[in-house]
Amino acid sequence: MRTEPAALILIVDDDLDNLRVLSTLLTDSGFRVLTAKSGQDACHKLGQITPDLILVEGMMSEVDGFELCRRIKINPRFQKTPVILIIARNENQSRLVELNLESVDYLAKPFLPIEVLIRIRLNLQLLSLTRSLHESTNLLNQEIIARQIVEAELYTLNQDLEQKVIERTQALTLVLNELQLREEKLTYAAFHDSLTGLFNRAWLMQYLSEIFEQEQPQLGHAILFLDLDRFKSVNDHLGHIVGDKLLQQVAKRLQNCIEPSHKIVRLSGDEFLIFLVNQDGIASVETVANSVLQQLHIPFEIDKYQISIGVSIGILPSTLNYQQPTDILRDADAAMYQAKRSGKGCYIVFTNEMQLQTLKRLQLEGELRQSIEKNEFCLYYQPIFCLESQKIVGLEALIQWQHPQKGLISPDQFITIAEDMGIIPSLDLLALKLACQQLYQWQQELQCAESLVIHINIAAAQLQHLDLVEQIQKILYDNHISPSAIRLEVTENAFINGSSIVTQVLEKIHDLGIKLCIDDFGTGYSCFSQLHTFPVDTLKIDRSFTKNVNASVESAAIVQTLINFANSLGIAVVAEGIETQIQLEDLQKFGCEFGQGYLFSRPLPIAEITNFLRIQDS
Ligand code: C2E
Ligand code: MG
Ligand code: MG
């Protein structure tokens, strides 16, 4: 256990006897004692040690006790150190009053030794108390300071925290706003067409579903299903940028035709839909349809082009009695399809009869899908004559569908459907195969078959596939048919709309030695100026011109020009659809070399056409 060392007491007296007596007394009482024989001696010693108490004789020569007390107390080191001044009982008290120093006590002589000891102990106790008080105060102060520091730090931390909370809140608000904005943008994009800003198909489907979920309304809504006429041609000829601008302008014009409560939707490509809310009767719907026809009939000015298009509109007068959005679209589309078939640029109101037709078409599609596997196709052949010699120079193979219930169906009733369904490639290759097999058979039997050229129709879409060339080559090879005995007929539009792949395919076919013929010439965007760039050797004037060649001056002029132009390029001309003697004579007059049509022969089945060829052979 650690014990406190005894207190160190400095006794200052120039009377050596007194010094000794006091020293002995204190040493005996357990104190450590140090002595100084004069004021100076004391000052000197106090420079080296710090006693716990100083006992000073008041009456000393040179530096007396009072002066020594004053000097001691000047020194801050001894400010708290108790000093006991020993004075005579009769000492002038005024000196004591004057002295008036902190921790300076006095003892009057003569005193009893016990008095000295009591006084010393009291002062030491006081010192100890003062020290501990001082320490406590110090500790307290330190604690206060520490607390103040902590508080200040806490305050700063709080401030920082608050600032951070503010900043985080602001950042979060920004992120939230941004997210909200993004969500709004995404929702907008999901339900709008980016090109025109109109609603899109997804929006329409949702909107229609919501309408169906509501209670049965009193009034129905009417629908206008729009499909632009000739848009594809604009896109193909003038490029997508012009096409896009055109669609934007169309969207703007459509806005002019409707009231704010009505909705316009861009369904796809050049298909739009106008949704007329709460329509009571067809009159107001037809007014809108007429306004749309009128607006879209006005030519558009885009970049340096003046573009004329049109629109075919199918009207569904009411959505009442419908339960499915898809049924609404199906019927409006059917009416639009009728408008296209009726010559475009008009509107047709949906009827129940059309619904039957649509169902029929759907049924036909289903049957058509299976018909190839079921081998339900055969070829009819229509002879092509040299108009001068009246001899058969070729046969056009026309595919026929031998429907198990409906009997023979001609191609104009299913080719477009087959094209829409994407099964036309199989049909075309089947037609080529059947034609080659038949030609080979004729070549074995008939002399005239050797110079016979078979015309095969190929859908424009086929020319997008590079492997078509190999497939054709294989069919010819398998059936021992020379390429020069085959002429492929492709509609005029395939040449004009042709991509680089189409051009490549056409050239490869031509390089094989297969002849190429432009079918239905004059029905598309005439490709007069480009005619010399295509590897074609024959051009077929469309039936619509042949029909009018003797009736319309304009048609006659066109036919004449066509023949002259083709002749000048060394391209042979076939007129199709010759039905009357007058048409034949006019065509002969214009220098048309070849022709086909009901006047000579309808398309015939194999047995009959074989007879035809036999007659020619004899
Ligand atoms: P197209 O190639 O222009 O064939 C001529 C069409 O006119 C044939 O119709 C033919 O029967 C008809 N026709 C011929 N002479 C006359 C006439 O004097 N008067 C009238 N009013 N019509 C006449 P069809 O057989 O219905 O064929 C329609 C179209 O179907 C063809 O037009 C052709 O583009 C297409 N087609 C036929 N067979 C095939 C095939 O195997 N593949 C492809 N992709 N298309 C085919
Ligand atoms: Mg043809
Ligand atoms: Mg034709």
Side-chain angles (χ1 to χ4, degrees), residues 13-14 63-64 105 137 188 207-208 211 214 234 258 301 352 370 374-375 378 426 436 479 496 501-502 525 556 591 600:
D13 200 334
D14 57 357
V63 179
D64 72 356
D105 195 3
T137 311
Y188 184 88
Y207 186 67
L208 288 175
I211 285 176
Q214 288 164 9
V234 173
I258 56 154
E301 299 247 354
N352 288 340
Q370 299 163 8
K374 289 188 182 167
N375 270 332
C378 70
S426 322
C436 287
N479 293 287
I496 308 157
I501 294 185
V502 173
Y525 264 86
F600 304 106

Side-chain angles (χ1 to χ4, degrees), residues 126-143:
L126 202 63
L127 174 69
S128 159
L129 282 173
T130 310
R131 274 183 182 155
S132 64
L133 192 70
H134 188 70
E135 271 167 27
S136 301
T137 311
N138 271 349
L139 280 175
L140 209 63
N141 279 339
Q142 277 171 16
E143 205 167 305

Side-chain angles (χ1 to χ4, degrees), residues 226-486:
L226 280 59
D227 189 290
L228 302 183
D229 301 330
R230 294 184 294 282
F231 175 74
K232 189 177 177 320
S233 174
V234 173
N235 231 2
D236 292 340
H237 285 96
L238 306 179
H240 288 275
I241 294 176
V242 174
D244 283 355
K245 287 183 184 172
L246 177 62
L247 289 172
Q248 285 168 332
Q249 288 201 17
V250 166
K252 274 198 194 125
R253 288 201 195 169
L254 291 180
Q255 312 265 23
N256 297 338
C257 305
I258 56 154
E259 289 170 21
S261 59
H262 302 328
K263 320 272 181 223
I264 307 177
V265 181
R266 181 173 172 221
L267 288 175
S268 64
D270 61 348
E271 277 182 353
F272 295 84
L273 183 141
I274 299 181
F275 194 91
L276 305 172
V277 273
N278 297 334
Q279 294 298 304
D280 190 12
I282 188 73
S284 55
V285 183
E286 282 183 294
T287 310
V288 178
N290 277 320
S291 160
V292 170
L293 285 174
Q294 213 178 359
Q295 277 287 325
L296 299 194
H297 186 68
I298 305 166
F300 291 82
E301 299 247 354
I302 293 164
D303 298 342
K304 51 186 187 302
Y305 306 105
Q306 211 189 20
I307 300 168
S308 292
I309 54 159
V311 63
S312 302
I313 306 173
I315 296 179
L316 189 71
S318 172
T319 53
L320 288 177
N321 305 325
Y322 280 92
Q323 263 90 47
Q324 292 292 333
T326 43
D327 292 350
I328 290 180
L329 287 181
R330 180 200 61 205
D331 289 351
D333 187 22
M336 187 282 293
Y337 186 69
Q338 282 297 321
K340 284 266 182 220
R341 287 176 68 118
S342 326
K344 304 181 178 172
C346 63
Y347 68 79
I348 296 276
V349 181
F350 181 76
T351 60
N352 288 340
E353 200 185 311
M354 257 177 241
Q355 200 165 21
L356 281 179
Q357 277 172 9
T358 312
L359 291 176
K360 263 191 194 166
R361 185 185 149 116
L362 285 174
Q363 195 189 350
L364 201 72
E365 278 181 14
E367 291 166 349
L368 196 55
R369 215 175 280 283
Q370 299 163 8
S371 59
I372 301 179
E373 281 160 30
K374 289 188 182 167
N375 270 332
E376 290 175 356
F377 293 94
C378 70
L379 291 181
Y380 271 36
Y381 294 88
Q382 185 177 41
I384 299 167
F385 288 86
C386 166
L387 297 186
E388 203 184 310
S389 67
Q390 305 269 314
K391 289 218 163 193
I392 298 178
V393 290
L395 298 175
E396 177 171 12
L398 295 156
I399 199 157
Q400 311 286 318
W401 181 9
Q402 293 166 303
H403 193 282
Q405 285 86 38
K406 295 173 191 145
L408 207 63
I409 302 178
S410 67
D412 60 350
Q413 289 182 53
F414 65 84
I415 286 291
T416 4
I417 302 176
E419 277 176 345
D420 291 348
M421 289 169 63
I423 59 166
I424 199 76
S426 322
L427 271 186
D428 283 354
L429 293 175
L430 175 66
L432 178 67
K433 193 173 103 185
L434 292 175
C436 287
Q437 286 170 349
Q438 187 56 52
L439 179 61
Y440 181 72
Q441 210 168 320
W442 281 326
Q443 283 172 350
Q444 307 307 305
E445 296 167 12
L446 303 163
Q447 212 186 344
C448 68
E450 273 168 34
S451 58
L452 210 59
V453 175
I454 305 283
H455 289 233
I456 310 280
N457 293 284
I458 290 280
Q462 286 273 70
L463 303 172
Q464 302 280 359
H465 306 286
L466 278 170
D467 54 359
L468 174 72
V469 185
E470 276 167 35
Q471 287 169 322
I472 292 176
Q473 206 173 7
K474 182 172 186 314
I475 292 173
L476 295 186
Y477 180 81
D478 289 350
N479 293 287
H480 323 287
I481 296 297
S482 151
S484 59
I486 299 294

Side-chain angles (χ1 to χ4, degrees), residues 513-530:
I514 295 174
K515 300 185 181 74
L516 282 169
C517 166
I518 305 183
D519 203 354
D520 309 329
F521 196 86
T523 49
Y525 264 86
S526 269
C527 55
F528 262 108
S529 56
Q530 293 157 283

Side-chain angles (χ1 to χ4, degrees), residues 489 519-520 540 542 576:
E489 292 193 6
D519 203 354
D520 309 329
K540 256 195 193 182
D542 190 64
E576 66 178 7

Side-chain angles (χ1 to χ4, degrees), residues 160-215:
D160 283 357
L161 209 66
E162 269 173 32
Q163 187 58 29
K164 275 197 181 130
V165 168
I166 291 170
E167 282 167 11
R168 285 289 291 195
T169 314
Q170 280 172 346
L172 273 174
T173 317
L174 273 178
V175 171
L176 270 177
N177 287 345
E178 176 105 334
L179 276 177
Q180 208 173 343
L181 218 68
R182 261 196 229 170
E183 199 182 302
E184 278 168 18
K185 271 189 192 163
L186 279 177
T187 316
Y188 184 88
F191 290 118
H192 287 80
D193 167 45
S194 58
L195 180 69
T196 58
L198 296 176
F199 291 120
N200 62 12
R201 186 182 280 269
W203 175 88
L204 178 74
M205 295 322 252
Q206 200 189 48
Y207 186 67
L208 288 175
S209 305
E210 280 168 13
I211 285 176
F212 283 127
E213 276 164 21
Q214 288 164 9
E215 279 176 50

